Amino acid sequence: MSGMHLSREFFELIKAIGESKSKQEEDRIIAREVVALKKKLESGGAGGGGGPSLGMIPGSPIPGSSGAAHGNILNTNKKKAREFLVRVLYVEMLGHDGSFGYIKAVELAASQSIIHKRTGYLVCSCCLSPEHEFRFMLINQMQRDLNSSNLLESCGALLAVTSLITPDLVSTVSTQVIGLLEHTEQTVRKKAIIAMHRLHQLSPDAVTKQEVTEKVRRMLCDRDPAVMGATLNVIEAMARVDAQPFKDLVPSLVSILKQICERRLPSEYDYHRIPAPWMQMKIVRILSVVGKNDSNSSEGMYEIVGECLRKAEEAGINASNAIVYECIRCITNIYPNPVLLDAAGASISRFLSSRSQNLRYLGVTGLASIVERHPKYAADHQLAVIECLEDEDETLLRKTLDLLYRMTNPVNVEFITDRLLHFLRRSTDPYLKSDLTLKICTIGERYAPNNAWYVRTITELFNIAGDLVDPAVATNLMSLIAEGTGNEDDDEEADMVLRKQAVELYVNLLNNPSNRMPRVLVETLAWVLGEYGYLSSVMPLSDIIDGMCKLLQSGNTARLGGGAPSTRRLVLTAIMKMVAQYGSCPATAAKVVDDYTKSSDPDAQKRCLEFQTILTQAPHLLGEVFPVDASLEDIDVSLDLSFLDGVVSDAIANGARPYQKPEDDDDDDINAVASQAASAFKMTPYEKPSERTYGQGAMQGMGSANMGPAGSGNVPLPPGSSSSTVNPQAAASPTQQPSNPGEPQLVLRNVANVWGKQAPPPAQAPVPSVPTTSSFASATTSSTPTGYGGFGVPAAAAPAVPIKTAEQLEKERMAAALFGGMSGAPPPPPHAPTQPAVMATPQMAMAPSAPQPTPAAPLTTPQVAPAVSAAPEVDLLGFDMGPTTTTTTSSIDMLAPTPLMEEPAPAPAPVAPPVPEPAPAPMPADPFAAAGLLDGFAESAPLPSLSTTEALDSAKFEFGGAPIAPLTINTPQFGERWGQCPSTHPVKIPSSTSADTLSKFMILCVRAGLHKVEEIAATNEGIAACMAGGGSSVALVHGKISPLPGGTSSRIDITVKSTDPQLGLSLSMYLQNMLR
């Protein structure tokens, strides 16, 4: 035991703790140890209950009597005292109180022995709370140690300062700490720089930011690398708070990193032949913070970051892989550089292809960081991501799911949502389920391809994890079903189709209820069927009423969403609404209403009694109490109850006593307060909003407020008594589908993502498709920019196509769906919308006349997206290069009318050959002059066949051979997308006569194919939006009109932002020529 420097008692304690089988056994061991330690402390009368105080160790700040002190072995044997404190530390670590030994730690901190002093400081640092009074007793000792000439004492005091000093004590040691920055020993200097930063964090007023920044700059150039390395920690922490003061340090940091990479540091800083890897990573992280969104700072670090990445790649060990990962993060954060991005993409590819789970995790994390700003690099790792989704490592799986969420776009949202729902269905981790639920709600609201898909997806989410869904999501879903697109000029038939699909979805759920249905699902089901149950073609309304009654009387509270009283009230209200729609009360509904007239819930009892009274005594009022499709109708409320004046007059005439207000009525105080506050508030109503507002605020308010329960047996209504009843067989059967199912249509309440009116589908030029075995790589190259945000470039086909297994083909199909919109090729054909098994609509039960959405054909074999032929180069600047001449090469004139663009497309080949030069088609000598866009630059008059007005009316801007489509969004969505578009193209037109007013500018934008988002007359600004490639590329236009003196022309400042640089450039040039 002597070789271990442990007493037998201490050894037995550690052994017993390690061998304990339960927490209870461990607690018994520690309780015995506490008793033994207290006895040691009190032996000889030291520190005991009423005995003399502890003896004083030489130099201790604790005074004591000289008599009893020497009787305590802890005062005479410092080794025993040190072991005593270590055992107290074990007691504290295992959750028990060791405060009886704190005073001994304070004493030992004043010892002359360094090892005992540091032990005392250690126990004080770990055990003393910031408010403990013993901290004040250590200040004098720390000041003496900081001023000590002994190197070890100064280091021990600096370590204690970082953990023992509180904000109110910073000023007592700050001068000594800053003075130690000039110490001759590098060990003291590097500890002093850390301690100074800690004091600045505790009290920025005592140790100012300017003072710390000045000291840090000087210490960065310290002659010892260890001090420089410690300074890097301080710079990184401060730069994350405010990077501006350190931007001018980029050249110095680059120089230091270059010296490290060139192995100019002593060899003792190497780790596994990697020169100072921790210093490299710290410098790269600092450069990442300083260079973010700063092109000037980033330009100075491109070369060294690339060199650092290359040398770390060559090493190929764990330490170098850590440097590579930091370089990837730095490259994705600083101002983009294509060469560095390509190198980062290659490093990510190496990580993803590794067999090591740790490296694959780094690869997925790096891909998640690069895909946010540069999505095209994700297209090269499709199969690797699919394999990570199927990996058994849960940590890797979670990181991959986060990657899917980050790379979601309107093209792949359906596939990614299906995958997230799949993992949510089989997950048992509450945190993961909550996180996945939030992500599904977010991407569903943001990227929903159509309203019907959103209703199906959210309903399935309710069924899987309804308990974790925010109730506001259910409210928004019901508002969507009630309002449809939310625009008054939209086709009502399209909204009715959506409601009919929602009804059939929930009718199938009612037919096949699961053993456990979340509360939010039951309440949504009750509201939808109660409002629109008459639209069902799957099941008669009487059967729906019976199904709701069975659900209410099943006795299975889990199936009824827990059986909460509010849920039962909603189901009761839905039954009453459907009875009013049906025209008579079935026996099952009458029994349910009658049973609930005796309910213990007063609200449900009141509803049923009122409904029973209406049904038996005034059935003609059912249509007014339960109107059809009136959930969003405004209710007129009479605040003065003037409609009762006649009743009051008749009662008084019959001898009733008039009402007299009580003398001690508390309402007087309330009225007095209200009258005083009346002058403080402006009660003028706000201006009526331009868009229709919602009439519903919460889910409980979806039903009629006056619906009361009641019911007799099977009580038929008198013929013709209810003029508002709806015959389910006579209900209109809308058959019109939404004009463009691929266009976002969702309108939600109180959320930023709103789908506006559906836009007509853009005309697509027919292009031939080339069959291939790869479902995600195009066999041809194209100069036409396609894809979502410029993702990737299609890879050329390999000379020999290997035979692929069914598993490989399935993975490629999944990758094509996952990375849709992220590669150069067009997106793959969509799948048929999938539904849960319990939601599948049986086709046999459908009425022949029921309108049903036509599902997309399921994919039986891997499909390849149609290859796009190489587009000829666009020349928009040829008009000012001399006299107008007839063109001899094929070109795309985006300003010419559409009928003139009909040219035969070259047949695609496995590898795109040079574009042949077809015979020149008959066309005007100068289409720009024909469209009236040269504004005096043309030497000849416009052609008679193309007048200026006609040309502008038909001159839709085309991109990739197809006209652009209007992107229907509102102003908040425009602002959100504005920050997400990386490509910016400003256009300045000094003088324009064609758009000298804001209204003319917006008219020309609409003629070009853009959607007018908003026209701001107050500032003479307008915004518009469009999309190309079926929504894969988006362009946003902001214009400001500044009238010039004279009133005949205006200066126009236009900014075009786009997810595709080519689309933004082409559109900006088009607008410049059109508005000149």
Side-chain angles (χ1 to χ4, degrees):
M1 299 304 298
S2 61
M4 298 177 64
H5 303 287
L6 298 177
S7 66
R8 177 170 294 278
E9 293 178 356
F10 193 15
F11 178 79
E12 294 295 338
L13 171 65
I14 297 175
K15 181 180 178 183
I17 293 174
E19 294 177 352
S20 59
K21 303 297 183 183
S22 64
K23 174 62 176 173
Q24 292 75 14
E25 182 180 355
E26 181 183 277
D27 290 341
R28 288 193 296 268
I29 296 171
I30 297 301
R32 291 196 299 267
E33 179 66 15
V34 169
V35 173
L37 292 177
K38 287 183 177 179
K39 288 182 178 180
K40 284 182 176 292
L41 188 62
E42 297 171 359
S43 63
S53 62
L54 292 171
M56 184 180 72
I57 298 178
S60 171
I62 309 300
S65 61
S66 60
H70 296 285
N72 190 338
I73 192 173
L74 299 181
N75 294 332
T76 57
N77 190 332
K78 295 180 182 179
K79 179 180 177 182
K80 293 292 183 181
R82 182 164 57 92
E83 182 179 300
F84 171 83
L85 290 181
V86 175
R87 293 165 73 173
V88 169
L89 191 57
Y90 268 88
V91 170
E92 288 277 342
M93 287 192 301
L94 294 175
H96 293 259
D97 181 27
S99 58
F100 57 86
Y102 292 173
I103 190 65
K104 185 57 65 176
V106 176
E107 288 184 11
L108 209 60
S111 174
Q112 299 298 325
S113 172
I114 295 299
I115 188 169
H116 296 104
K117 180 186 292 291
R118 298 190 65 173
T119 304
Y121 277 141
L122 173 64
V123 176
C124 291
S125 302
C126 296
C127 300
L128 295 185
S129 64
E131 299 82 14
H132 203 285
E133 57 187 6
F134 283 1
R135 286 179 179 260
F136 298 95
M137 302 170 65
L138 292 167
I139 295 299
N140 291 336
Q141 185 59 44
M142 282 191 289
Q143 289 177 337
R144 285 197 295 268
D145 290 340
L146 289 172
N147 294 326
S148 174
S149 59
N150 189 322
L151 168 67
L152 298 179
E153 289 184 354
S154 299
C155 292
L158 287 171
L159 292 175
V161 162
T162 58
S163 54
L164 289 174
I165 292 297
T166 54
D168 55 324
L169 299 176
V170 169
S171 57
T172 61
V173 295
S174 59
T175 304
Q176 290 89 341
V177 170
I178 295 176
L180 289 177
L181 293 175
E182 309 294 337
H183 202 278
T184 57
E185 292 293 333
Q186 54 91 9
T187 305
V188 177
R189 295 199 302 273
K190 71 179 182 180
K191 286 178 169 51
I193 191 69
I194 300 296
M196 181 186 66
H197 180 238
R198 176 57 181 164
L199 296 180
H200 168 68
Q201 291 177 325
L202 291 173
S203 179
D205 295 331
V207 182
T208 62
K209 179 180 178 181
Q210 293 76 10
E211 185 177 9
V212 176
T213 304
E214 179 186 353
K215 298 294 183 181
V216 161
R217 289 172 174 272
R218 188 167 53 83
M219 301 302 289
L220 183 63
C221 303
D222 193 273
R223 59 185 180 274
D224 191 276
V227 179
M228 179 268 295
T231 307
L232 294 175
N233 293 288
V234 180
I235 294 177
E236 181 184 359
M238 298 184 68
R240 292 191 182 278
V241 178
D242 182 13
Q244 189 61 37
F246 303 99
K247 287 186 178 293
D248 58 343
L249 289 181
V250 170
S252 301
L253 294 170
V254 168
S255 175
I256 294 172
L257 183 57
K258 184 175 182 180
Q259 295 180 50
I260 296 175
C261 293
E262 293 176 354
R263 298 182 178 273
R264 297 187 185 179
L265 264 64
S267 59
E268 56 263 24
Y269 291 96
D270 291 357
Y271 178 79
H272 288 268
R273 302 185 305 279
I274 302 298
W278 286 274
M279 290 186 187
Q280 291 192 51
M281 288 186 284
K282 284 184 178 64
I283 295 176
V284 171
R285 283 198 294 264
I286 295 172
L287 295 178
S288 174
V289 175
V290 174
K292 187 175 183 179
N293 300 327
D294 188 341
S295 59
N296 294 330
S297 299
S298 300
E299 288 176 0
M301 62 183 74
Y302 286 154
E303 181 180 355
I304 188 60
V305 172
E307 181 181 354
C308 183
L309 175 64
R310 179 181 59 81
K311 291 190 175 182
E313 283 276 8
E314 294 175 354
I317 62 175
N318 286 339
S320 64
N321 289 331
I323 299 175
V324 171
Y325 173 69
E326 293 297 340
C327 290
I328 292 173
R329 292 184 60 189
C330 177
I331 292 170
T332 56
N333 283 335
I334 63 177
Y335 199 82
N337 179 272
V339 177
L340 290 181
L341 288 172
D342 291 340
S347 300
I348 292 174
S349 178
R350 183 176 68 84
F351 284 158
L352 290 174
S353 59
S354 173
R355 294 182 179 180
S356 170
Q357 295 291 78
N358 293 333
L359 293 184
R360 294 177 68 189
Y361 182 90
L362 286 182
V364 172
T365 307
L367 189 60
S369 63
I370 200 174
V371 76
E372 290 189 45
R373 301 189 180 189
H374 315 284
K376 67 177 184 178
Y377 292 96
D380 299 332
H381 313 296
Q382 302 176 13
L383 293 181
V385 173
I386 295 299
E387 291 177 359
C388 291
L389 282 175
E390 300 173 355
D391 199 279
E392 296 180 356
D393 189 339
E394 186 173 353
T395 304
L396 180 61
L397 176 61
R398 292 191 182 192
K399 202 64 182 179
T400 309
L401 292 176
D402 182 66
L403 170 63
L404 293 187
Y405 171 72
R406 292 169 182 262
M407 60 190 291
T408 306
N409 60 59
V411 178
N412 61 15
V413 61
E414 297 185 52
F415 175 80
I416 290 181
T417 304
D418 288 341
R419 300 302 298 176
L420 295 180
L421 286 171
H422 169 72
F423 288 109
L424 177 63
R425 194 178 291 109
R426 73 179 193 180
S427 175
T428 57
D429 184 2
Y431 173 78
L432 178 60
K433 294 182 69 174
S434 177
D435 185 52
L436 290 178
T437 300
L438 179 60
K439 289 178 178 178
I440 292 171
C441 291
T442 302
I443 64 176
E445 293 175 358
R446 183 176 300 174
Y447 301 112
N450 52 69
N451 292 342
W453 176 88
Y454 179 79
V455 172
R456 289 196 310 270
T457 301
I458 297 301
T459 301
E460 184 176 359
L461 179 64
F462 288 168
N463 200 16
I464 297 173
D467 298 335
L468 303 174
V469 178
D470 188 348
V473 177
T475 304
N476 295 333
L477 177 64
M478 289 182 280
S479 299
L480 169 66
I481 297 173
E483 291 195 351
T485 56
N487 296 328
E488 297 181 358
D489 56 346
D490 279 342
D491 191 359
E492 180 64 22
E493 292 187 359
D495 296 341
M496 293 301 294
V497 169
L498 175 64
R499 295 164 188 160
K500 185 178 179 63
Q501 292 173 347
V503 168
E504 292 171 352
L505 177 66
Y506 285 103
V507 164
N508 290 323
L509 274 176
L510 185 63
N511 277 337
N512 306 285
S514 58
N515 292 329
R516 182 185 177 279
M517 296 175 64
R519 175 180 175 180
V520 65
L521 178 62
V522 176
E523 294 178 349
T524 306
L525 179 146
W527 183 87
V528 172
L529 296 183
E531 291 289 335
Y532 306 106
Y534 63 90
L535 296 176
S536 173
S537 59
V538 178
M539 179 185 296
L541 190 58
S542 59
D543 292 346
I544 298 178
I545 296 175
D546 292 342
M548 295 292 288
C549 293
K550 291 178 182 178
L551 181 65
L552 195 59
Q553 293 180 314
S554 63
N556 186 352
T557 57
R559 181 173 293 180
L560 197 58
S566 60
T567 305
R568 294 181 182 273
R569 295 172 206 149
L570 281 174
V571 176
L572 277 172
T573 302
I575 294 174
M576 297 172 192
K577 290 180 182 179
M578 289 187 287
V579 167
Q581 298 167 9
Y582 186 60
S584 65
C585 184
T588 54
K591 184 178 185 306
V592 168
V593 172
D594 187 61
D595 291 344
Y596 273 87
T597 56
K598 309 175 187 65
S599 173
S600 59
D601 181 12
D603 192 324
Q605 185 185 50
K606 178 176 176 293
R607 295 185 188 212
C608 291
L609 288 172
E610 291 177 354
F611 180 76
Q612 202 174 57
T613 303
I614 295 174
L615 191 65
T616 55
Q617 299 182 12
H620 60 281
L621 295 178
L622 279 178
E624 298 182 11
V625 176
F626 302 104
V628 177
D629 194 14
S631 61
L632 297 178
E633 297 296 333
D634 295 332
I635 300 176
D636 295 331
V637 179
S638 177
L639 299 179
D640 57 358
L641 302 180
S642 58
F643 60 92
L644 295 176
D645 291 345
V647 178
V648 173
S649 300
D650 294 341
I652 294 177
N654 293 332
R657 187 175 61 179
Y659 171 76
Q660 294 181 355
K661 191 174 183 180
E663 296 181 359
D664 56 346
D665 192 358
D666 294 337
D667 291 342
D668 292 338
D669 298 335
I670 299 176
N671 295 333
V673 175
S675 62
Q676 294 176 2
S679 61
F681 293 94
K682 294 182 179 180
M683 305 306 295
T684 305
Y686 288 97
E687 183 181 358
K688 185 177 181 180
S690 58
E691 296 184 2
R692 188 171 66 183
T693 57
Y694 293 81
Q696 297 303 118
M699 186 160 48
Q700 285 78 2
M702 288 297 181
S704 301
N706 297 329
M707 294 182 185
S712 57
N714 193 0
V715 183
L717 299 180
S721 62
S722 178
S723 60
S724 301
T725 56
V726 179
N727 188 355
Q729 284 72 21
S733 300
T735 58
Q736 181 177 353
Q737 297 290 336
S739 59
N740 188 3
E743 182 73 13
Q745 310 166 36
L746 184 59
V747 178
L748 299 177
R749 183 183 182 187
N750 296 331
V751 294
N753 303 288
V754 182
W755 284 264
K757 181 178 178 181
Q758 302 171 0
Q764 299 288 343
V767 291
S769 61
V770 180
T772 178
T773 57
S774 174
S775 60
F776 58 91
S778 174
T780 63
T781 59
S782 171
S783 62
T784 303
T786 58
Y788 183 76
F791 270 52
V793 178
V801 179
I803 300 177
K804 300 182 180 180
T805 63
E807 182 180 359
Q808 290 176 328
L809 293 176
E810 175 64 17
K811 287 185 178 180
E812 292 180 357
R813 186 198 65 77
M814 294 172 62
L818 172 60
F819 287 81
M822 306 188 91
S823 62
H831 281 280
T834 57
Q835 299 183 11
V838 297
M839 303 179 190
T841 304
Q843 298 297 329
M844 333 178 67
M846 298 291 292
S849 62
Q852 291 294 328
T854 304
L859 294 177
T860 56
T861 58
Q863 299 292 329
V864 64
V868 181
S869 59
E873 183 179 0
V874 180
D875 183 8
L876 297 180
L877 302 179
F879 63 88
D880 59 353
M881 298 181 63
T884 58
T885 57
T886 304
T887 57
T888 59
T889 59
S890 176
S891 63
I892 295 179
D893 187 359
M894 294 188 294
L895 302 182
T898 303
L900 299 180
M901 296 300 299
E902 297 179 357
E903 298 184 12
V911 177
V915 180
E917 299 183 1
M923 58 185 300
D926 193 343
F928 295 96
L933 301 178
L934 297 189
D935 197 16
F937 287 87
E939 297 183 0
S940 59
L943 295 179
S945 60
L946 289 176
S947 65
T948 303
T949 304
E950 294 175 353
L952 286 175
D953 288 338
S954 60
K956 297 289 186 182
F957 172 68
E958 296 186 357
F959 180 71
I964 59 173
L967 178 61
T968 307
I969 57 177
N970 56 20
T971 303
Q973 288 177 315
F974 184 93
E976 180 180 357
R977 290 174 178 261
W978 184 266
Q980 299 174 354
C981 296
S983 177
T984 304
H985 302 276
V987 176
K988 295 184 182 298
I989 302 176
S991 177
S992 173
T993 57
S994 59
D996 55 338
T997 64
L998 178 60
S999 59
K1000 290 183 180 180
F1001 170 75
M1002 298 306 298
I1003 291 174
L1004 291 178
C1005 289
V1006 173
R1007 287 177 178 175
L1010 285 84
H1011 166 68
K1012 183 178 77 171
V1013 179
E1014 186 176 1
E1015 187 174 322
I1016 310 172
T1019 58
N1020 239 17
E1021 295 178 83
I1023 53 178
C1026 67
M1027 60 182 179
S1032 60
S1033 301
V1034 174
L1036 307 176
V1037 176
H1038 171 272
K1040 182 174 178 60
I1041 313 300
S1042 303
L1044 298 175
T1048 59
S1049 61
S1050 298
R1051 180 171 63 88
I1052 305 178
D1053 297 318
I1054 303 175
T1055 302
V1056 180
K1057 298 199 71 172
S1058 174
T1059 57
D1060 189 333
Q1062 292 297 329
L1063 173 61
L1065 177 62
S1066 302
L1067 180 58
S1068 62
M1069 297 175 64
Y1070 174 86
L1071 294 175
Q1072 182 177 17
N1073 289 308
M1074 182 176 65
L1075 299 174
R1076 179 171 297 172

